[in-house]
Amino acid sequence: MEANMSKRKEPGRSLRIKVISMGNAEVGKSCIIKRYCEKRFVSKYLATIGIDYGVTKVHVRDREIKVNIFDMAGHPFFYEVRNEFYKDTQGVILVYDVGQKDSFDALDAWLAEMKQELGPHGNMENIIFVVCANKIDCTKHRCVDESEGRLWAESKGFLYFETSAQTGEGINEMFQTFYVSIVDLCENGGKRPTTNSSASFTKEQADAIRRIRNSKDSWDMLGVKPGASRDEVNKAYRKLAVLLHPDKCVAPGSEDAFKAVVNARTALLKNIK
Ligand code: GTP
Ligand code: MG
Protein backbone atom coordinates (compact mmCIF):
# COMPACT_ATOMS: atom_id res chain seq x y z
CA MET A 1 0.00 0.00 0.00
CA GLU A 2 2.76 2.40 1.10
CA ALA A 3 4.82 1.48 -1.96
CA ASN A 4 1.89 2.14 -4.28
CA MET A 5 1.25 5.48 -2.67
CA SER A 6 4.80 6.64 -3.27
CA LYS A 7 4.59 5.65 -6.94
CA ARG A 8 1.55 7.85 -7.47
CA LYS A 9 1.96 11.19 -9.19
CA GLU A 10 1.83 14.25 -6.99
CA PRO A 11 -1.86 15.15 -7.02
CA GLY A 12 -1.05 18.84 -7.46
CA ARG A 13 0.73 18.13 -10.71
CA SER A 14 -2.21 16.49 -12.47
CA LEU A 15 -4.55 18.64 -14.48
CA ARG A 16 -7.99 18.18 -15.95
CA ILE A 17 -8.90 20.01 -19.14
CA LYS A 18 -11.83 20.23 -21.50
CA VAL A 19 -11.39 20.24 -25.24
CA ILE A 20 -14.07 20.48 -27.95
CA SER A 21 -14.06 19.95 -31.71
CA MET A 22 -15.85 22.32 -34.07
CA GLY A 23 -16.39 22.56 -37.82
CA ASN A 24 -18.84 21.59 -40.55
CA ALA A 25 -20.22 18.08 -40.90
CA GLU A 26 -17.94 15.58 -42.64
CA VAL A 27 -14.71 17.61 -42.40
CA GLY A 28 -13.07 14.86 -40.33
CA LYS A 29 -13.35 15.95 -36.67
CA SER A 30 -14.12 12.48 -35.32
CA CYS A 31 -11.48 10.86 -37.54
CA ILE A 32 -8.77 13.25 -36.30
CA ILE A 33 -9.58 12.36 -32.69
CA LYS A 34 -9.79 8.65 -33.51
CA ARG A 35 -6.47 8.74 -35.36
CA TYR A 36 -4.77 10.25 -32.29
CA CYS A 37 -6.48 8.20 -29.58
CA GLU A 38 -6.91 4.85 -31.34
CA LYS A 39 -4.26 5.09 -34.11
CA ARG A 40 -6.74 4.07 -36.78
CA PHE A 41 -8.78 5.52 -39.63
CA VAL A 42 -12.35 4.71 -40.60
CA SER A 43 -13.16 5.54 -44.20
CA LYS A 44 -16.92 5.04 -43.87
CA TYR A 45 -18.70 8.23 -42.80
CA LEU A 46 -20.49 7.77 -39.48
CA ALA A 47 -21.99 11.14 -38.61
CA THR A 48 -21.66 12.11 -34.95
CA ILE A 49 -25.08 12.27 -33.37
CA GLY A 50 -25.12 15.32 -31.11
CA ILE A 51 -21.94 14.84 -29.09
CA ASP A 52 -19.37 12.08 -28.59
CA TYR A 53 -17.56 12.16 -25.29
CA GLY A 54 -14.23 10.57 -24.43
CA VAL A 55 -11.48 10.81 -21.80
CA THR A 56 -7.80 10.41 -22.48
CA LYS A 57 -4.60 10.89 -20.50
CA VAL A 58 -1.55 12.66 -21.88
CA HIS A 59 1.74 13.84 -20.39
CA VAL A 60 3.10 17.31 -20.91
CA ARG A 61 6.50 17.95 -19.34
CA ASP A 62 6.15 16.26 -15.93
CA ARG A 63 2.40 16.74 -15.66
CA GLU A 64 -0.33 14.21 -16.19
CA ILE A 65 -3.22 15.75 -18.10
CA LYS A 66 -6.71 14.26 -18.10
CA VAL A 67 -8.36 15.41 -21.27
CA ASN A 68 -12.15 15.40 -21.60
CA ILE A 69 -12.89 15.54 -25.31
CA PHE A 70 -16.31 16.60 -26.52
CA ASP A 71 -16.51 15.82 -30.22
CA MET A 72 -19.35 17.88 -31.66
CA ALA A 73 -21.65 17.07 -34.53
CA GLY A 74 -21.16 19.55 -37.35
CA HIS A 75 -24.61 19.27 -38.85
CA PRO A 76 -26.85 22.32 -38.17
CA PHE A 77 -29.58 19.89 -37.08
CA PHE A 78 -27.66 19.27 -33.82
CA TYR A 79 -27.30 22.88 -32.78
CA GLU A 80 -29.64 22.46 -29.80
CA VAL A 81 -27.62 19.51 -28.52
CA ARG A 82 -24.16 20.97 -28.85
CA ASN A 83 -24.85 24.55 -27.72
CA GLU A 84 -24.57 23.77 -24.01
CA PHE A 85 -21.12 22.19 -24.37
CA TYR A 86 -19.20 25.33 -25.25
CA LYS A 87 -18.67 26.61 -21.72
CA ASP A 88 -15.62 25.91 -19.49
CA THR A 89 -13.48 24.94 -22.46
CA GLN A 90 -9.70 25.41 -22.50
CA GLY A 91 -9.05 24.21 -26.05
CA VAL A 92 -10.86 24.09 -29.38
CA ILE A 93 -9.96 21.97 -32.41
CA LEU A 94 -11.39 23.87 -35.35
CA VAL A 95 -11.48 21.74 -38.49
CA TYR A 96 -12.12 22.36 -42.18
CA ASP A 97 -11.70 20.22 -45.27
CA VAL A 98 -9.11 21.68 -47.70
CA GLY A 99 -11.26 20.40 -50.58
CA GLN A 100 -14.44 22.15 -49.38
CA LYS A 101 -14.23 25.93 -49.53
CA ASP A 102 -17.57 26.20 -47.72
CA SER A 103 -16.13 24.47 -44.69
CA PHE A 104 -13.27 27.02 -44.58
CA ASP A 105 -15.65 29.95 -45.03
CA ALA A 106 -17.80 28.54 -42.22
CA LEU A 107 -15.05 28.89 -39.58
CA ASP A 108 -16.15 32.44 -38.73
CA ALA A 109 -19.72 31.22 -38.19
CA TRP A 110 -18.43 28.52 -35.82
CA LEU A 111 -16.60 31.13 -33.77
CA ALA A 112 -19.73 33.28 -33.77
CA GLU A 113 -21.84 30.35 -32.53
CA MET A 114 -19.41 29.70 -29.69
CA LYS A 115 -19.26 33.39 -28.77
CA GLN A 116 -23.02 33.60 -28.70
CA GLU A 117 -23.37 30.55 -26.48
CA LEU A 118 -20.71 31.79 -24.05
CA GLY A 119 -22.72 34.97 -23.67
CA PRO A 120 -21.55 38.51 -22.89
CA HIS A 121 -19.29 37.40 -20.03
CA GLY A 122 -17.66 34.55 -21.93
CA ASN A 123 -14.05 35.15 -22.83
CA MET A 124 -12.71 33.60 -26.03
CA GLU A 125 -9.32 35.30 -25.57
CA ASN A 126 -8.14 32.74 -23.06
CA ILE A 127 -8.96 29.64 -25.03
CA ILE A 128 -6.38 27.87 -27.20
CA PHE A 129 -7.63 27.35 -30.75
CA VAL A 130 -5.94 25.03 -33.20
CA VAL A 131 -7.05 25.10 -36.82
CA CYS A 132 -6.76 21.81 -38.71
CA ALA A 133 -6.66 22.06 -42.49
CA ASN A 134 -7.73 18.44 -42.91
CA LYS A 135 -7.75 15.88 -45.75
CA ILE A 136 -4.46 17.12 -47.21
CA ASP A 137 -4.04 13.63 -48.69
CA CYS A 138 -6.76 14.53 -51.23
CA THR A 139 -4.39 16.72 -53.25
CA LYS A 140 -6.48 16.63 -56.45
CA HIS A 141 -9.49 18.28 -54.85
CA ARG A 142 -7.64 20.83 -52.76
CA CYS A 143 -9.07 24.34 -53.15
CA VAL A 144 -7.95 26.14 -49.97
CA ASP A 145 -4.18 26.48 -50.01
CA GLU A 146 -1.88 26.56 -47.02
CA SER A 147 -1.17 30.29 -47.02
CA GLU A 148 -4.88 31.16 -47.09
CA GLY A 149 -5.64 28.87 -44.12
CA ARG A 150 -2.55 29.88 -42.20
CA LEU A 151 -3.27 33.58 -42.73
CA TRP A 152 -6.80 33.19 -41.33
CA ALA A 153 -5.58 31.23 -38.31
CA GLU A 154 -2.48 33.23 -37.46
CA SER A 155 -4.16 36.60 -37.86
CA LYS A 156 -6.46 35.48 -35.03
CA GLY A 157 -3.58 34.19 -32.89
CA PHE A 158 -4.63 30.56 -33.48
CA LEU A 159 -2.34 27.59 -34.08
CA TYR A 160 -2.46 26.11 -37.59
CA PHE A 161 -1.70 22.57 -38.77
CA GLU A 162 -2.08 20.73 -42.05
CA THR A 163 -3.50 17.30 -41.23
CA SER A 164 -4.70 14.06 -42.69
CA ALA A 165 -6.62 11.70 -40.46
CA GLN A 166 -6.24 9.13 -43.21
CA THR A 167 -2.42 9.05 -43.36
CA GLY A 168 -1.84 10.46 -39.87
CA GLU A 169 0.23 13.36 -41.22
CA GLY A 170 0.37 16.30 -38.83
CA ILE A 171 -1.93 14.69 -36.24
CA ASN A 172 0.54 13.95 -33.42
CA GLU A 173 2.37 17.26 -33.91
CA MET A 174 -0.93 19.10 -33.80
CA PHE A 175 -2.11 17.48 -30.56
CA GLN A 176 1.28 17.84 -28.91
CA THR A 177 1.55 21.55 -29.63
CA PHE A 178 -2.11 22.03 -28.71
CA TYR A 179 -1.73 20.34 -25.29
CA VAL A 180 1.53 22.15 -24.50
CA SER A 181 -0.20 25.46 -25.28
CA ILE A 182 -3.12 24.57 -23.02
CA VAL A 183 -0.78 23.61 -20.16
CA ASP A 184 1.12 26.88 -20.67
CA LEU A 185 -2.21 28.69 -20.45
CA CYS A 186 -3.21 26.87 -17.24
CA GLU A 187 0.19 27.51 -15.67
CA ASN A 188 -0.20 31.16 -16.56
CA GLY A 189 -3.34 31.46 -14.42
CA GLY A 190 -5.74 30.66 -17.28
CA LYS A 191 -4.51 33.58 -19.39
CA ARG A 192 -2.89 33.21 -22.78
CA PRO A 193 0.87 33.82 -22.41
CA THR A 194 1.57 37.14 -24.14
CA THR A 195 4.06 35.65 -26.61
CA ASN A 196 1.29 33.60 -28.24
CA SER A 197 -1.43 36.20 -28.14
CA SER A 198 -0.61 38.32 -31.14
CA ALA A 199 0.30 37.60 -34.72
CA SER A 200 3.67 38.76 -36.06
CA PHE A 201 1.94 40.74 -38.81
CA THR A 202 -0.68 43.46 -38.83
CA LYS A 203 -4.37 43.31 -39.65
CA GLU A 204 -3.70 45.76 -42.48
CA GLN A 205 -1.21 43.31 -44.03
CA ALA A 206 -3.58 40.35 -43.63
CA ASP A 207 -6.49 42.31 -45.13
CA ALA A 208 -4.36 43.47 -48.09
CA ILE A 209 -3.28 39.88 -48.87
CA ARG A 210 -6.89 38.68 -48.74
CA ARG A 211 -8.08 41.56 -50.93
CA ILE A 212 -5.33 40.91 -53.50
CA ARG A 213 -6.15 37.21 -53.54
CA ASN A 214 -9.82 37.92 -54.22
CA SER A 215 -9.35 40.78 -56.71
CA LYS A 216 -11.01 40.42 -60.10
CA ASP A 217 -8.44 42.29 -62.23
CA SER A 218 -5.24 44.35 -62.03
CA TRP A 219 -7.08 47.63 -61.27
CA ASP A 220 -8.92 45.97 -58.46
CA MET A 221 -5.73 44.41 -57.18
CA LEU A 222 -4.03 47.79 -56.81
CA GLY A 223 -7.23 49.32 -55.42
CA VAL A 224 -7.55 51.97 -58.14
CA LYS A 225 -10.46 52.80 -60.46
CA PRO A 226 -10.31 51.39 -64.01
CA GLY A 227 -8.71 54.06 -66.19
CA ALA A 228 -6.59 55.54 -63.36
CA SER A 229 -3.48 57.56 -64.32
CA ARG A 230 0.17 56.40 -64.19
CA ASP A 231 0.65 58.45 -61.04
CA GLU A 232 -2.32 56.88 -59.32
CA VAL A 233 -1.17 53.39 -60.27
CA ASN A 234 2.37 54.06 -59.05
CA LYS A 235 1.17 55.59 -55.81
CA ALA A 236 -1.11 52.63 -55.07
CA TYR A 237 1.68 50.23 -56.01
CA ARG A 238 4.23 51.89 -53.72
CA LYS A 239 1.86 51.75 -50.78
CA LEU A 240 1.23 48.02 -51.24
CA ALA A 241 4.89 47.29 -51.96
CA VAL A 242 5.94 48.88 -48.66
CA LEU A 243 3.19 47.02 -46.80
CA LEU A 244 3.91 43.60 -48.31
CA HIS A 245 7.61 43.61 -49.17
CA PRO A 246 9.00 40.18 -48.21
CA ASP A 247 11.72 41.87 -46.11
CA LYS A 248 9.04 43.59 -44.05
CA CYS A 249 6.09 41.23 -44.03
CA VAL A 250 6.01 37.70 -42.65
CA ALA A 251 2.29 37.10 -43.13
CA PRO A 252 1.50 33.82 -44.93
CA GLY A 253 0.97 34.49 -48.63
CA SER A 254 2.76 37.87 -48.60
CA GLU A 255 5.37 36.79 -51.15
CA ASP A 256 2.75 35.72 -53.71
CA ALA A 257 0.71 38.84 -53.03
CA PHE A 258 3.79 41.02 -53.52
CA LYS A 259 4.60 39.32 -56.85
CA ALA A 260 0.99 39.70 -57.99
CA VAL A 261 1.09 43.43 -57.21
CA VAL A 262 4.36 43.86 -59.17
CA ASN A 263 2.81 42.04 -62.16
CA ALA A 264 -0.42 44.05 -61.94
CA ARG A 265 1.49 47.33 -62.01
CA THR A 266 3.61 46.21 -65.00
CA ALA A 267 0.50 45.11 -66.91
CA LEU A 268 -1.36 48.35 -66.24
CA LEU A 269 1.56 50.68 -67.05
CA LYS A 270 2.03 48.95 -70.43
CA ASN A 271 -1.39 50.23 -71.49
CA ILE A 272 -1.39 53.69 -69.91
CA LYS A 273 0.18 56.52 -71.89
P1 GTP B 1 -19.79 15.10 -38.26
O1 GTP B 1 -19.66 14.16 -37.10
O2 GTP B 1 -20.98 14.81 -39.10
O3 GTP B 1 -19.75 16.52 -37.83
O4 GTP B 1 -18.51 14.84 -39.23
P2 GTP B 1 -16.97 14.79 -38.83
O5 GTP B 1 -16.37 16.14 -39.03
O6 GTP B 1 -16.77 14.16 -37.50
O7 GTP B 1 -16.37 13.86 -39.98
P3 GTP B 1 -15.79 12.37 -39.86
O8 GTP B 1 -14.58 12.36 -38.99
O9 GTP B 1 -16.88 11.46 -39.51
O10 GTP B 1 -15.28 12.15 -41.36
C1 GTP B 1 -16.13 12.37 -42.47
C2 GTP B 1 -15.65 11.59 -43.68
O11 GTP B 1 -14.39 12.09 -44.12
C3 GTP B 1 -15.44 10.10 -43.41
O12 GTP B 1 -15.84 9.37 -44.54
C4 GTP B 1 -13.93 9.98 -43.22
O13 GTP B 1 -13.44 8.72 -43.58
C5 GTP B 1 -13.42 11.06 -44.15
N1 GTP B 1 -12.14 11.65 -43.69
C6 GTP B 1 -11.87 12.19 -42.49
N2 GTP B 1 -10.62 12.65 -42.43
C7 GTP B 1 -10.06 12.38 -43.64
C8 GTP B 1 -8.77 12.63 -44.20
O14 GTP B 1 -7.86 13.19 -43.61
N3 GTP B 1 -8.59 12.23 -45.51
C9 GTP B 1 -9.58 11.64 -46.22
N4 GTP B 1 -9.29 11.28 -47.47
N5 GTP B 1 -10.80 11.40 -45.72
C10 GTP B 1 -11.04 11.76 -44.45
MG1 MG C 1 -18.05 13.48 -36.12
Side-chain angles (χ1 to χ4, degrees):
M1 184 72 178
E2 289 275 300
N4 280 346
M5 290 280 283
S6 63
K7 268 186 205 158
R8 262 187 218 159
K9 295 244 166 219
E10 255 181 85
R13 301 299 299 159
S14 78
L15 186 68
R16 190 181 284 269
I17 62 170
K18 177 181 168 185
V19 160
I20 61 174
S21 69
M22 276 162 46
N24 278 7
E26 236 176 299
V27 293
K29 300 179 293 298
S30 304
C31 284
I32 287 174
I33 294 166
K34 205 165 268 157
R35 164 60 75 187
Y36 182 72
C37 296
E38 299 172 26
K39 313 273 174 267
R40 66 193 181 101
F41 175 71
V42 183
S43 59
K44 188 167 181 276
Y45 174 42
L46 296 163
T48 303
I49 308 296
I51 295 276
D52 264 351
Y53 169 70
V55 189
T56 182
K57 262 188 211 162
V58 295
H59 286 90
V60 172
R61 297 191 283 266
D62 59 340
R63 293 190 85 160
E64 183 181 273
I65 319 294
K66 277 202 187 102
V67 188
N68 294 286
I69 304 185
F70 293 82
D71 176 24
M72 300 219 190
H75 199 282
F77 180 76
F78 295 111
Y79 167 69
E80 295 293 341
V81 185
R82 64 176 181 253
N83 64 4
E84 59 191 274
F85 288 91
Y86 284 115
K87 57 185 179 297
D88 304 323
T89 296
Q90 281 84 39
V92 175
I93 306 169
L94 198 50
V95 185
Y96 69 93
D97 172 351
V98 296
Q100 295 285 341
K101 182 78 164 61
D102 285 0
S103 71
F104 175 66
D105 293 339
L107 296 180
D108 283 310
W110 281 101
L111 292 181
E113 181 175 307
M114 181 170 191
K115 197 168 188 285
Q116 185 188 319
E117 293 314 319
L118 291 181
H121 303 296
N123 187 355
M124 308 255 292
E125 287 300 304
N126 293 320
I127 296 173
I128 301 294
F129 284 86
V130 63
V131 176
C132 295
N134 194 40
K135 305 199 188 183
I136 54 164
D137 55 284
C138 302
T139 45
K140 266 195 202 149
H141 304 288
R142 183 156 190 168
C143 58
V144 185
D145 69 21
E146 180 174 350
S147 62
E148 190 171 5
R150 198 177 272 285
L151 183 69
W152 186 88
E154 292 183 1
S155 60
K156 292 187 152 46
F158 298 172
L159 300 165
Y160 173 89
F161 282 85
E162 301 247 302
T163 59
S164 166
Q166 189 192 64
T167 66
E169 197 178 339
I171 303 286
N172 284 345
E173 296 87 330
M174 181 277 286
F175 273 104
Q176 241 151 26
T177 310
F178 182 52
Y179 289 142
V180 167
S181 300
I182 294 175
V183 172
D184 286 346
L185 173 114
C186 294
E187 289 178 351
N188 195 44
K191 287 206 165 70
R192 250 208 259 199
T194 42
T195 45
N196 294 347
S197 64
S198 59
S200 46
F201 48 88
T202 64
K203 183 174 182 303
E204 192 187 6
Q205 288 170 325
D207 288 347
I209 293 168
R210 261 186 226 113
R211 203 184 51 71
I212 289 164
R213 192 193 291 276
N214 296 328
S215 58
K216 57 182 192 298
D217 57 30
S218 298
W219 303 107
D220 193 26
M221 188 175 287
L222 290 182
V224 294
K225 286 196 201 101
S229 67
R230 286 184 89 82
D231 272 0
E232 285 168 327
V233 167
N234 278 326
K235 205 170 150 201
Y237 163 76
R238 272 196 299 273
K239 202 171 158 216
L240 285 171
V242 168
L243 191 67
L244 301 174
H245 194 281
D247 289 350
K248 296 266 166 53
C249 182
V250 295
S254 58
E255 221 171 295
D256 285 346
F258 180 75
K259 280 184 205 151
V261 165
V262 171
N263 291 340
R265 173 193 181 231
T266 311
L268 290 180
L269 290 185
K270 251 189 214 159
N271 297 316
I272 303 176
K273 292 213 178 90

